[in-house]
Amino acid sequence: MEIKPQVDKYTIDGKDVIILAEGRLVNLGCATGHPSFVMSNSFTNQTLAQLELWQNHGNYENKVYVLPKHLDEMVASLHLAKIGVELEELTDAQAKYIGVPKNGPFKSDAYRY
Amino acid sequence: MREQYGQEKPLKGARIAGCLHMTIQTAVLIETLQELGAEVSWSSCNIFSTQDHAAAAIAEAGIPVYAWKGMNNEEFDWCIEQTIFAFEGGKPLNMILDDGGDLTNMVFDKFPELVAGIKGLSEETTTGVLRLKERERNGTLVMPAINVNDSVTKSKFDNKYGCKESAVDAIRRATDIMMAGKVAIVCGYGDVGKGTAASLRGAGARVIVTEIDPICALQAAMDGFEVKKLVPNVHRADIIITTTGNFNIVTEAAFRKMKDKAIVCNIGHFDNEIDMAWLNKAYG
């Protein structure tokens, strides 16, 4: 029985169960999905992926790739100012000490965050 | 992105068909792709996820968009199909932007003659990536694909912090129940599960997690959650939410043991985590 759109009641063995959004993605069915700030991160990745494939498709085989880490770090960089984040910078000596380029990528591909 | 690339129009010539929740955030993505020079057509990858005002704004901007909130499954497929040939002069797409793999599957299976003209595809979500990996293994992936989901700035943010905001938001808007003190079971403790469990805990719910992966189970336990099996514990739950990306998570065995007025929902991509087919057949 529909209580209101995307909220349905079923009665099983005399007990009621309330199903939201017919079992589909509840946050998009019953609310408005994720907030814009976090989706901006996702969609910046989408845009970079489209750019990369459009411009450099010759470099790719018919395989599944992830975006290189420097682009991942760029997506994060683009979002820092909005929430007032300040970044420290590595000195040359520090960069050498941990064996990464001074301006990134700062982690190996195996790093899991 | 627009500031950095807007002048050069690096996507000039690209005809991108997109299939992704037609929300206001997606509208901004569409505008960005267009500002970078692409021609764009759009459908939504879920029958309920379209925000009609967002779709209307995109339509008003002259972009072919086939999406509205609350369509049926036939309309859903029809919408996706329309986007394939929606470009100027009736030309077909030459890029795919997908969320969940429904557009990809339609192009690969129903319009294989178009594949040669398509440069590549980008995929938004875990479920779609699983489908692509399967194609890669069995040799049916016919173009390069970029897995956007596994960018750290996607899955560790959208899946996690996104759900942390939107899981409780959805349950509140749908039911207006008091969360504090309720017992919630979160099925799965991947990125979506972690965000969802944190969302419910933040609202004061007492959260139980179910897992099949020992590493994620240990993470959940050490994050302070009770980690239990679903069926023997489902009678305790006021809220049950699935986050797994797998299917048949909440089935008849669990439904029969639920308490009266239990709320059941899913925040994974597809609608088969909860066995709606059984529920509708037996009690619909």
Side-chain angles (χ1 to χ4, degrees):
Chain A
M1 188 186 87
E2 185 181 74
I3 295 173
K4 65 178 187 180
Q6 274 88 59
V7 180
D8 295 292
K9 184 174 85 171
Y10 293 77
T11 305
I12 303 172
D13 305 336
K15 293 176 294 183
D16 293 338
V17 173
I18 314 292
I19 300 277
L20 306 185
E22 297 179 18
R24 296 163 198 267
L25 276 170
V26 72
N27 57 336
L28 283 147
C30 295
T32 54
H34 298 336
S36 298
F37 184 77
V38 81
M39 293 315 296
S40 176
N41 283 273
S42 298
F43 290 164
T44 306
N45 278 294
Q46 274 289 4
T47 306
L48 287 169
Q50 289 285 322
L51 266 179
E52 181 63 21
L53 285 170
W54 179 248
Q55 294 182 314
N56 302 315
H57 49 88
N59 301 342
Y60 292 91
E61 297 171 54
N62 292 347
K63 290 183 178 165
V64 183
Y65 297 87
V66 291
L67 283 172
K69 191 166 290 288
H70 73 273
L71 292 180
D72 216 342
E73 290 180 353
M74 186 182 105
V75 172
S77 301
L78 290 170
H79 288 85
L80 296 179
K82 181 83 185 166
I83 50 174
V85 174
E86 294 178 0
L87 271 187
E88 299 279 9
E89 276 177 43
L90 290 174
T91 64
D92 291 331
Q94 285 175 322
K96 196 167 168 228
Y97 186 72
I98 58 169
V100 302
K102 197 177 169 186
N103 298 309
F106 298 102
K107 300 287 190 288
S108 77
D109 285 336
Y111 187 76
R112 294 188 181 92
Y113 296 88
Chain B
M1 291 291 291
R2 293 190 200 183
E3 262 170 46
Q4 204 164 334
Y5 297 104
Q7 293 298 321
E8 309 164 28
K9 307 287 176 205
L11 288 174
K12 194 168 172 18
R15 296 187 298 276
I16 303 171
C19 180
L20 197 156
H21 310 294
M22 186 58 250
T23 62
I24 53 170
Q25 290 83 8
T26 301
V28 176
L29 167 64
I30 294 170
E31 286 174 359
T32 303
L33 294 169
Q34 201 180 36
E35 190 148 331
L36 268 46
E39 253 191 273
V40 184
S41 71
W42 217 263
S43 62
S44 193
C45 59
N46 183 289
I47 63 169
F48 290 135
S49 65
T50 297
Q51 293 166 4
D52 288 336
H53 54 288
I58 289 301
E60 199 160 298
I63 297 163
V65 53
Y66 300 87
W68 60 92
K69 189 177 180 81
M71 53 178 66
N72 64 35
N73 290 330
E74 291 79 56
E75 291 167 339
F76 178 76
D77 288 338
W78 180 86
C79 284
I80 294 177
E81 191 167 338
Q82 300 316 303
T83 63
I84 295 173
F85 297 98
F87 301 93
E88 209 178 300
K91 284 188 188 156
L93 77 176
N94 59 21
M95 294 287 289
I96 295 174
L97 190 158
D98 210 355
D99 182 354
D102 288 325
L103 170 61
T104 302
N105 279 355
M106 181 174 292
V107 171
F108 284 27
D109 298 339
K110 204 167 164 189
F111 300 98
E113 70 278 9
L114 297 179
V115 163
I118 303 174
K119 308 293 185 206
L121 72 92
S122 61
E123 169 55 51
E124 174 80 4
T125 204
T126 317
T127 299
V129 170
L130 288 175
R131 288 173 158 188
L132 291 174
K133 293 267 189 196
E134 195 181 329
R135 284 189 182 273
E136 189 180 33
R137 273 196 305 276
N138 63 26
T140 57
L141 182 63
V142 288
M143 63 185 66
I146 292 185
N147 161 4
V148 170
N149 183 65
D150 288 306
S151 288
V152 180
T153 48
K154 198 281 180 183
S155 56
K156 298 286 176 183
F157 289 81
D158 171 338
N159 304 27
K160 184 178 172 185
Y161 300 110
C163 290
K164 194 170 172 183
E165 306 260 342
S166 64
V168 161
D169 182 29
I171 298 168
R172 279 198 205 287
R173 291 198 204 202
T175 65
D176 299 313
I177 62 155
M178 176 94 179
M179 296 292 216
K182 294 288 192 306
V183 174
I185 296 184
V186 176
C187 301
Y189 203 67
D191 291 317
V192 171
K194 287 176 174 76
T196 302
S199 184
L200 290 158
R201 169 183 277 174
R206 291 174 287 160
V207 179
I208 301 169
V209 169
T210 72
E211 250 302 339
I212 49 98
D213 179 329
I215 296 175
C216 296
L218 189 59
Q219 278 183 313
M222 295 187 71
D223 283 339
F225 295 106
E226 212 180 320
V227 184
K228 296 287 177 194
K229 286 179 169 235
L230 177 64
V231 173
N233 290 281
V234 74
H235 64 281
R236 297 164 59 193
D238 302 289
I239 301 163
I240 299 109
I241 182 162
T242 56
T243 75
T244 68
N246 208 324
F247 76 123
N248 284 351
I249 306 302
V250 178
T251 58
E252 178 179 354
F255 274 117
R256 293 214 184 274
K257 294 187 68 183
M258 284 176 197
K259 69 160 73 163
D260 189 36
K261 306 286 187 300
I263 295 164
V264 183
C265 58
N266 160 55
I267 198 163
H269 188 81
F270 281 121
D271 62 345
N272 53 2
E273 301 209 19
I274 300 167
D275 191 357
M276 292 302 296
W278 171 80
L279 187 61
N280 283 321
K281 197 165 160 225
Y283 295 98

